[in-house]
Amino acid sequence: MSARTRELIRHAADLKPDTPWSDTIWAWTPEESLVDHQTKARLCVATLLPFKDKKPDWDGFTRSIAWMRDSAAHYGVEVAFVLNADTGYIFDLSLDEYREVLKRFRDAFPDQRFLAGVTGPDAGATEFKAERYLPMLEAVQQYDNCEAMLMTSRTLNVLAPERRRDAYFQIAEHLTVPGIVHALEPSFVPWATPYEPWLLHELAQHPKFVGGKISTLDEPHFLYWAAMCKGLNLDFAPHSGDDFGICTAIRLGLPLLIGAGVSACPLICAARDMWLDDSCAAKTHSAGLGDGFDTRVYKLFEAIQSFEDLVFRLDERMSASAYKHSTAHVLHALGLIASPEAHPNCKDLRGSDEATRMAEAMRRPLRMAQRLEVPDFPSNS
């Protein structure tokens, strides 16, 4: 029976823990019905911690953040910096290194909001324990003006929906800052799975969770989340973590929580502003149309997508996890960091020709940036 002829769930009370998205109205809601030309949502950039001679390049770390802050300020985009997998290759960092990332960031940018990825290392473990999350959570919560992003772990992800909800709630008991839940995509960790609609609704109702991040390659879960949150008027912000679908979030007026902001921040900020109607108070650079928007943004969308499709390209294992190494090559080409090295323990690396591949990937974005007079791309550093 097709979706058009069967009865679809549209009320939260009808959801069960095992309800698939395909049985809900939100899985069949077209993007066109969610388009928003009035909201300039925030950009959360999963910041890169570069390395040189196997040590963190702290100067490059702060220089690249300052570059992104300048782009956001130019286009009036709210920006927050995500200190998680991109920042320090979170599964490779020691707890002391993680604490140093947080301290260095706060010392350099005392008033800047950040989101910190928090996980529970569970290598070799067979059952979930909330206390594994506490050391990283405690390190984060000594700072003000921040949010904690609860990244999934293998033992958390394997739980059935009701037990998975209870596990998140256990961690939330220790939250003293706003929480973001993170449905990690299988293109980066093969055991990860997205949330069922019942689980998303349960998490969205928790008072300590203000939003969530979702990105998947094979099914438009971000659209499902957006449709459910709008349809049920949930006080919960879906953040697109899909670097293959940046422009969808811009078209929907919803937040982005992505690694792509590191390499393409000026382009993304420009697109955020161009998509808004001229009548919108949040618009920074008018198209001179009164109540329309700058349709050249569609070509900018294409340039962003072509760029990020190469940065986040899949390898022979169908994994995009080496994108951090590609990002380092882009920042190096822009003159923002001293070396394209990755974390010395990182095994997700690109080949020896990556500098050439990223130079090719940047040709179209650079051309669009020049045509649209987007500042800081390439960097003026």
Side-chain angles (χ1 to χ4, degrees), residues 19-347:
T19 299
W21 280 106
S22 57
D23 285 353
T24 73
I25 192 69
W26 308 297
W28 305 95
T29 302
E31 178 181 321
E32 291 75 14
S33 68
L34 302 171
V35 165
D36 181 346
H37 285 283
Q38 297 296 317
T39 303
K40 187 188 283 188
R42 70 179 182 174
L43 169 62
C44 305
V45 181
T47 313
L48 184 84
L49 176 62
F51 286 80
K52 183 182 180 183
D53 299 328
K54 299 183 178 181
K55 296 180 181 179
D57 172 14
W58 296 112
D59 182 60
F61 178 62
T62 55
R63 188 186 302 117
S64 64
I65 292 169
W67 172 70
M68 291 182 277
R69 277 164 48 102
D70 287 347
S71 293
H74 179 80
Y75 288 104
V77 174
E78 177 190 354
V79 66
F81 293 93
V82 188
L83 309 180
N84 71 334
D86 304 275
T87 301
Y89 306 84
I90 192 169
F91 301 111
D92 295 315
L93 282 183
S94 69
L95 185 59
D96 285 343
E97 289 172 326
Y98 181 75
R99 290 186 177 121
E100 186 174 9
V101 167
L102 299 175
K103 184 178 186 304
R104 293 260 191 170
F105 179 90
R106 182 50 80 224
D107 287 347
F109 306 100
D111 301 318
Q112 176 64 59
R113 192 165 190 82
F114 71 84
L115 285 68
V118 173
T119 192
D122 57 5
T126 57
E127 60 182 89
F128 170 81
K129 292 186 178 180
E131 52 263 35
R132 295 193 186 104
Y133 279 75
L134 299 188
M136 295 184 78
L137 190 57
E138 290 166 359
V140 172
Q141 293 186 151
Q142 65 178 296
Y143 297 100
D144 296 325
N145 198 20
C146 68
E147 298 168 32
M149 181 167 65
L150 305 185
M151 302 176 72
T152 193
S153 59
R154 182 177 49 81
T155 51
L156 172 59
N157 188 87
V158 76
L159 298 175
E162 290 169 288
R163 292 189 61 205
R164 200 172 177 187
R165 174 204 58 188
D166 294 344
Y168 275 107
F169 287 7
Q170 273 186 280
I171 302 170
E173 291 175 7
H174 302 276
L175 277 173
T176 60
V177 300
I180 297 280
V181 292
H182 181 200
L184 191 65
E185 57 275 10
S187 58
F188 297 108
V189 180
W191 43 255
T193 56
Y195 302 150
E196 300 85 355
W198 177 88
L199 178 57
L200 174 62
H201 184 261
E202 291 288 304
L203 296 177
Q205 291 189 101
H206 194 288
K208 290 187 178 180
F209 296 145
V210 299
K213 170 186 174 178
I214 177 64
S215 56
T216 50
L217 290 179
D218 304 318
E219 196 168 349
H221 285 89
F222 177 64
L223 284 177
Y224 304 167
W225 283 30
M228 175 190 272
C229 290
K230 182 176 181 180
L232 298 179
N233 196 28
L234 299 175
D235 187 16
F236 181 90
H239 290 60
S240 175
D242 185 355
D243 295 279
F244 295 96
I246 294 165
C247 306
T248 296
I250 295 176
R251 288 192 292 266
L252 271 53
L254 288 171
L256 284 159
L257 204 165
I258 50 172
V262 181
S263 53
C265 191
L267 306 176
I268 294 169
C269 289
R272 273 268 189 237
D273 197 52
M274 291 172 70
W275 181 252
L276 297 181
D277 282 335
D278 274 5
S279 60
C280 180
K283 184 152 186 162
T284 304
H285 297 80
S286 172
L289 299 172
D291 61 355
F293 68 99
D294 192 336
T295 57
R296 293 180 300 169
V297 71
Y298 291 116
K299 302 308 293 183
L300 182 53
F301 284 162
E302 291 173 2
I304 292 170
Q305 198 64 65
S306 69
F307 185 25
E308 297 309 327
D309 280 350
L310 291 173
V311 173
F312 290 84
R313 69 187 184 274
L314 299 174
D315 63 18
E316 66 280 358
R317 299 172 296 135
M318 298 302 289
S319 172
S321 57
Y323 74 92
K324 293 188 288 291
H325 196 202
S326 299
T327 299
H329 276 280
V330 172
L331 292 186
H332 184 244
L334 291 172
L336 292 162
I337 63 176
S339 168
E341 284 183 34
H343 188 288
N345 295 334
C346 182
K347 296 179 175 61

